[in-house]
Amino acid sequence: MRGAGLRERTGVLTAALALAAGVLAPVAAAPPAAALTDPVGFTADHLPTYQTNGIVWALAEANGVVYAGGTFSAVRPAGTPSGGSSTHAVNFAAFNAATGAPARCPLSFTRSGGAATVRALAVSPDRSTLYVGGYFNAVNGSSANGLVAVDTATCTRRAGLAPDFSATVRALDVAPNGTVYAGGDFQSVNGQTRRFFGAVTPAGAVTGWNPDADDPGRTLRVTPDGQSVLIGGDFFTVGGADSHAIAVTSPTTGALTRGYPNNFIPSTAVIKDIVTDSASGGWYAAGEGRGGNSFDGRLAMELDGFGQRWRDTCQGATQALRVHKRVLYAASHVHDCSTMGGFPNQARKHLTAQGVDDPALLGWLPDTNDGIGEPVGPRALTVATRDGRDFLWVGGEFTTVNGVQQQALTRFANTPDTGAPSLPAASVSAPRAGEVRVSWRSSLDLDDSLLTYRVYRNGGAVPVHTTTGSSLFFSRPQLTFTDRNVAAGQTYSYRITATDGAGNTSALSPAASVTASSASPYQERVLADGADLYWRYDEPGGAFAADASDSRNGGVYVNTPTYRATPSAVAGSAALSLNGSDEYVYSDRLHRYTSPTPYSIETWFRTTSTGGGRLVGYGSNIGTAQGHTSSVSDKLLYLTDNRRLAFGVQVGSTNSRPTLTSSTSFNDGQWHHAVATQGPGGMALYVDGARVAANTAAGNRSYNGYWRVGGDAMNNAWPNRPSSTYFAGQVDESAIYPSALTAAQVAAHHQLAQAPAPPGDTTVSLLPTEDAYVNGVAANANYNDQQLASRGTTPYLGYLRFTLLAAPAGQVLKGARLQFRTSSDPTAGSTDSHTVVPVTGTWTESAVTYNSRPALSASVLGTITGATAVSTDYSVELTAPALGGALGSAYSLALTSSGTDSLRIWSSEAGSAASRPQLVLTFGAE
């Protein structure tokens, strides 16, 4: 989303500011992708690294060796489970930065009473000395109290430094002159009063540096010029002067030289880490707060003058920071960036990156879990260079990295990038005569936000379209290709790949097919009247709801609603069934609406429910879990418990909620057309082409949000709030307009809905009436469950029976394909070919076994190849004429193979309707 040579500035903040009121900004053309989207400097592919059996609190690097301190007693190789073979290492270990294997450094930090821990590590400017701080009173059995020096060349304790800290040392840094600065819980050093901050000479003598804070220190950093010491922690005063959590002090006396009073850092927050960066002229602080109005994010400050450069207000306590080549890497558990114009409260993310000049999140997002301890995930970061490569090391409480078991330590390198983008999710349609539109949800790559997409038609090896697009985990814009090289009445299939800058390429997306024809009159009128979000719900499955408008406002299906429901509200289309409890669709891009911008909401619905439900609305969040539904919502179209249709808005942040309600109920099981508009003249509610209520309220609430169809939270203040806030029934043809539709436009839409589409092909999707598989090893067993299987040796055969419809009048069968989804079984994907053949013998799903298996035809209807991934949609084209003679009757297919690699697919008993196999038949003129 940025031009070549420009810094990334289109993340969570600037993406929102680019939105015009009520209208989404289009996806900008992107330059060619490059390995690791600039300025990201590390891949998201974690490398094999030794792990600990406890928490890593601190990391440091010197001369290609990474040191880890924490609360643990052993280290073990990557892949070794907890409790497996390990090596003794008490609260401290050293590792080769390039291999992740231990470097010989047998130092143990212990206490004679209580649990010892290492909490701080710092390296001298000449890289010859490592300083280790924490809560311990012995190192390899020799007396030490909170701070020791280690020779990095020999990994032995240096003599002469033996200060006595009265409590835990939590922070360390070393000045160019060798002074060692410390922060923590202590209140004395060598018996001299030093409240929470103090310093010693290389020989261990206490210096005059005495900030005299009133609460513990968590972090500190000497500025690159050595003229100041930046401190952070829990404190509210420094030397008696107000400066909460952060301060600039004199390096000699500790006197406050720049304070930050007056809630610069909220009283509910502390500062956990500070880093400096000479190249950017900045220093950066990590916040940890309590409550939604606290400070959990990152703070960028100037080294020249110590003023604020920017502030990241995302929620999710930040524990550690590092700067590498103008990128600020953070360890946190960020979960809500709505105050930044970004993603709302969602599942935690633990590793992020930002440019030093801009708080917008970059496209780098490996992840850990929360882990043990508090738990908050990662706790420490350091950067190392060895053998010509750069490495980012991460330590903390986590027990998984990128979903793989790995405890407390992991690392990432600048090269190679081996992770491929996720599979694009595609949808196809024929919006106009002579056009096929291919739309897809952009893929996700954890270290490349700029990807290259290639569109292939009809199984061809050469792409018919190539483009680039940017995406982040919280912003995956719809991309579109319009194919105008098509002939009316012909069926075309399309598949798409995504490639990152290093050349890693996703698998081909499942084939999506459509017959080129003229659009329906209804669709043409909706587009002509300016819809900038238009979901037709014609997808056969998956998570992607394509936007039929030119604004590329794709949606996301949640919890696999029932796709392609019939009958639909509009001729030639399909509908979507929702269960009334947790199924819905939300817009995949953040919108910004500013009152009193005009808008219209349109949808078709039908239901027999008596529980009401929210049909369409605008809300601040996209999830269903507690805390992840919308805390703010308005512009709502909903059914009350007495089945009446209501349209309401919230006026600003007040309790005023003007609401229109129909006088008639609408749970009769028939399709109804609903339109809600608001503009300068007020609000209007239309049902089935006629206005049923109106008022003069022109204002609503201004905020960043998402359109949702099917359900969301609703405040109790809404008039006649339904007992169920999720809609049970069918919806079709949902659209949002950046204008208030006129009564004439609404009436025209209603009238056109049932107008027949121009002559064209007819596509029908059939579910199996029976399916099962047999197993040659258990020759008398019947397998009538959620999976079907195929393998040559040892043999599996799968069977499906479909009731084929008769061809519509004047049409013949022109195309057939079998759509299926591989199961979640680890062996579901197959590198072998599998054939689809007719079944000539008799069988039933409840009785068929390998010994009673039916006879098969020698002819092959189609061949499945490349179905190698699990939980993935695939399809195979079948020879249509072979099925043509069986139209109007039951017809059975078998899945067979001569290979050794089994294929497993979901059957008609699968819990998700989207996972069930379908036979798709296309009929056209003779």
Side-chain angles (χ1 to χ4, degrees):
M1 284 191 179
R2 63 184 183 282
L6 297 180
R7 290 195 185 99
E8 174 70 80
R9 293 200 179 257
T10 55
V12 297
L13 180 61
T14 47
L17 298 180
L19 303 178
V23 182
L24 277 173
V27 177
L36 295 181
T37 304
D38 181 69
V40 170
F42 298 102
T43 79
D45 308 315
H46 66 285
L47 301 173
T49 307
Y50 263 65
Q51 37 189 338
T52 74
N53 65 347
I55 300 171
V56 171
W57 294 105
L59 293 171
E61 179 275 338
N63 311 315
V65 175
V66 170
Y67 302 93
T71 309
F72 52 85
S73 61
V75 297
R76 64 186 189 275
T80 302
S82 177
S85 177
S86 61
T87 302
H88 191 66
V90 182
N91 301 321
F92 178 85
F95 304 90
N96 182 308
T99 66
R104 181 164 176 77
C105 193
L107 298 177
S108 296
F109 292 77
T110 58
R111 284 193 66 81
S112 55
T117 185
V118 171
R119 288 299 184 107
L121 300 171
V123 175
S124 63
D126 65 2
R127 324 303 284 170
S128 68
T129 305
L130 170 72
Y131 293 92
V132 183
Y135 184 63
F136 50 83
N137 59 19
V139 179
N140 285 2
S142 297
S143 178
N145 203 2
L147 177 64
V148 298
V150 176
D151 185 304
T152 57
T154 62
C155 203
T156 57
R157 181 179 174 184
R158 286 189 184 276
L161 181 73
D164 181 8
F165 284 82
S166 64
T168 306
V169 173
R170 295 182 180 274
L172 291 172
D173 200 16
V174 188
N177 66 4
T179 300
V180 182
Y181 295 89
D185 300 340
F186 55 86
Q187 297 204 39
S188 68
V189 183
N190 291 351
Q192 299 184 45
T193 299
R194 290 293 185 270
R195 294 200 305 166
F196 309 116
F197 290 97
V200 297
T201 67
V206 179
T207 76
W209 187 70
N210 184 15
D212 191 31
D214 65 335
D215 270 320
R218 305 266 190 164
T219 182
L220 56 83
R221 197 69 59 185
V222 180
T223 57
D225 61 7
Q227 299 304 301
S228 298
V229 180
L230 313 169
I231 63 173
D234 300 10
F235 52 84
F236 287 85
T237 63
V238 175
D242 291 341
S243 189
H244 173 51
I246 195 168
V248 183
T249 68
S250 162
T252 55
T253 67
L256 184 68
T257 58
R258 172 68 185 267
Y260 299 90
N262 303 321
N263 213 40
F264 181 81
I265 301 295
S267 62
T268 53
V270 300
I271 294 298
K272 299 297 293 287
D273 196 17
I274 294 174
V275 296
T276 61
D277 179 47
S278 298
S280 64
W283 57 286
Y284 307 87
E288 177 184 85
R290 301 185 306 276
N293 294 320
S294 191
F295 175 57
D296 266 356
R298 274 75 69 189
L299 190 66
M301 308 288 284
E302 298 288 353
L303 283 169
D304 182 8
F306 304 109
Q308 179 177 305
R309 178 184 294 167
W310 52 256
R311 181 179 296 227
D312 172 340
T313 58
C314 294
Q315 294 292 307
T318 307
Q319 303 297 314
L321 301 170
R322 278 299 179 271
V323 176
H324 178 67
K325 296 183 178 179
R326 302 191 68 83
V327 173
L328 178 67
Y329 295 90
S332 71
H333 55 263
V334 60
H335 57 89
D336 186 350
C337 286
S338 56
T339 57
M340 295 272 291
F343 60 92
N345 189 30
Q346 291 296 298
R348 292 176 169 187
K349 306 293 182 182
H350 297 87
L351 295 168
T352 57
Q354 298 160 288
V356 293
D357 297 320
D358 191 335
L361 291 182
L362 300 174
W364 183 79
L365 208 81
D367 203 12
T368 72
N369 65 351
D370 287 343
I372 61 177
E374 286 190 29
V376 297
R379 289 282 192 174
L381 301 172
T382 196
V383 174
T385 299
R386 184 160 182 166
D387 299 341
R389 298 168 71 196
D390 296 334
F391 300 89
L392 176 68
W393 279 68
V394 182
E397 299 173 319
F398 53 86
T399 57
T400 67
V401 179
N402 290 339
V404 176
Q405 294 295 317
Q406 173 73 20
Q407 184 171 359
L409 280 172
T410 191
R411 63 200 172 98
F412 305 91
N414 60 329
T415 185
D417 178 7
T418 60
S422 64
L423 198 68
S427 178
V428 294
S429 61
R432 299 176 182 88
E435 290 185 3
V436 167
R437 171 177 287 187
V438 185
S439 301
W440 65 96
R441 189 186 189 200
S442 49
S443 297
L444 181 63
D445 190 285
L446 297 182
D447 48 34
D448 290 284
S449 56
L450 184 60
L451 303 175
T452 298
Y453 298 91
R454 294 177 175 86
V455 181
Y456 299 85
R457 186 174 74 173
N458 293 342
V462 178
V464 294
H465 180 68
T466 301
T467 190
T468 56
S470 289
S471 59
L472 299 167
F473 82 94
F474 53 87
S475 178
R476 296 174 60 181
Q478 175 177 312
L479 300 175
T480 299
F481 159 60
T482 300
D483 189 356
R484 295 183 174 86
N485 186 26
V486 296
Q490 295 296 310
T491 299
Y492 299 88
S493 68
Y494 299 84
R495 304 181 79 180
I496 306 168
T497 62
T499 303
D500 67 14
N504 300 305
T505 300
S506 73
L508 282 162
S509 66
S513 301
V514 69
T515 300
S517 61
S518 298
S520 73
Y522 181 89
Q523 177 180 351
E524 290 182 327
R525 184 59 185 265
V526 168
L527 295 175
D529 285 342
D532 66 359
L533 183 157
Y534 183 18
W535 298 336
R536 305 204 70 203
Y537 309 120
D538 287 343
E539 288 76 25
F544 174 55
D547 178 18
S549 83
D550 292 329
S551 297
R552 302 177 180 180
N553 285 321
V556 177
Y557 293 114
V558 178
N559 293 323
T560 57
T562 301
Y563 306 90
R564 299 194 64 82
T566 56
S568 62
V570 174
S573 180
L576 184 73
S577 286
L578 301 168
N579 64 5
S581 60
D582 63 357
E583 295 173 351
Y584 63 99
V585 192
Y586 70 85
S587 55
D588 206 12
R589 295 170 68 183
L590 188 71
H591 293 64
R592 170 69 183 175
Y593 274 83
T594 303
S595 177
T597 303
Y599 64 92
S600 298
I601 303 168
E602 179 176 41
T603 196
W604 288 79
F605 71 94
R606 69 172 184 151
T607 184
T608 56
S609 170
T610 59
R614 178 170 156 161
L615 280 166
V616 185
Y618 186 64
S620 60
N621 212 327
I622 58 178
T624 54
Q626 184 176 3
H628 296 172
T629 53
S630 295
S631 58
V632 178
S633 60
D634 81 329
K635 298 176 264 294
L636 303 185
L637 187 62
Y638 60 97
L639 284 174
T640 66
D641 280 349
N642 61 2
R643 283 73 74 188
R644 297 183 180 184
L645 189 65
F647 166 45
V649 301
Q650 182 179 8
V651 179
S653 57
T654 71
N655 288 326
S656 176
R657 286 175 167 81
T659 302
L660 304 175
T661 306
S662 71
S663 59
T664 305
S665 61
F666 296 99
N667 71 325
D668 55 5
Q670 301 300 310
W671 279 110
H672 295 284
H673 179 228
V675 177
T677 70
Q678 189 177 28
M683 300 166 60
L685 176 62
Y686 300 84
V687 181
D688 294 336
R691 193 174 77 174
V692 298
N695 64 24
T696 59
N700 54 70
R701 187 160 184 174
S702 303
Y703 61 100
N704 296 339
Y706 306 83
W707 286 106
R708 291 175 56 137
V709 174
D712 195 0
M714 286 182 67
N715 189 289
N716 288 331
W718 286 102
N720 297 308
R721 178 188 180 274
S723 55
S724 170
T725 60
Y726 286 79
F727 173 73
Q730 289 80 48
V731 292
D732 198 8
E733 307 292 324
S734 300
I736 307 296
Y737 301 79
S739 63
L741 294 177
T742 66
Q745 288 174 312
V746 172
H749 290 195
H750 180 254
Q751 183 178 3
L752 287 170
Q754 297 304 324
D761 288 355
T762 301
T763 300
V764 177
S765 296
L766 305 174
L767 292 172
T769 57
E770 292 187 273
D771 53 16
Y773 78 97
V774 298
N775 180 356
V777 174
N780 291 313
N782 169 253
Y783 294 89
N784 176 23
D785 55 30
Q786 292 189 335
Q787 294 188 67
L788 303 176
S790 170
R791 185 172 63 194
T793 54
T794 52
Y796 293 143
L797 293 95
Y799 305 102
L800 304 99
R801 177 176 288 115
F802 298 91
T803 299
L804 305 185
L805 301 179
Q811 294 187 330
V812 297
L813 184 65
K814 297 176 60 178
R817 69 180 186 276
L818 179 66
Q819 293 184 176
F820 61 90
R821 180 177 296 180
T822 51
S823 77
S824 58
D825 188 291
T827 65
S830 178
T831 57
D832 289 338
S833 296
H834 297 259
T835 56
V836 182
V837 301
V839 177
T840 57
T842 59
W843 65 281
T844 62
E845 68 175 8
S846 61
V848 65
T849 66
Y850 185 78
N851 280 343
S852 67
R853 67 190 184 277
L856 306 181
S857 169
S859 61
V860 175
L861 298 174
T863 302
I864 300 169
T865 58
T868 57
V870 303
S871 299
T872 301
D873 292 321
Y874 293 98
S875 68
V876 56
E877 297 293 332
L878 304 180
T879 304
L883 278 70
L887 294 179
S889 65
Y891 190 82
S892 293
L893 306 173
L895 303 180
T896 71
S897 176
S898 60
T900 59
D901 192 9
S902 62
L903 174 71
R904 292 182 176 271
I905 71 173
W906 293 117
S907 75
S908 62
E909 281 79 26
S912 166
S915 300
R916 299 165 189 164
Q918 297 182 65
L919 181 63
V920 182
L921 305 180
T922 301
F923 299 94
E926 298 184 37

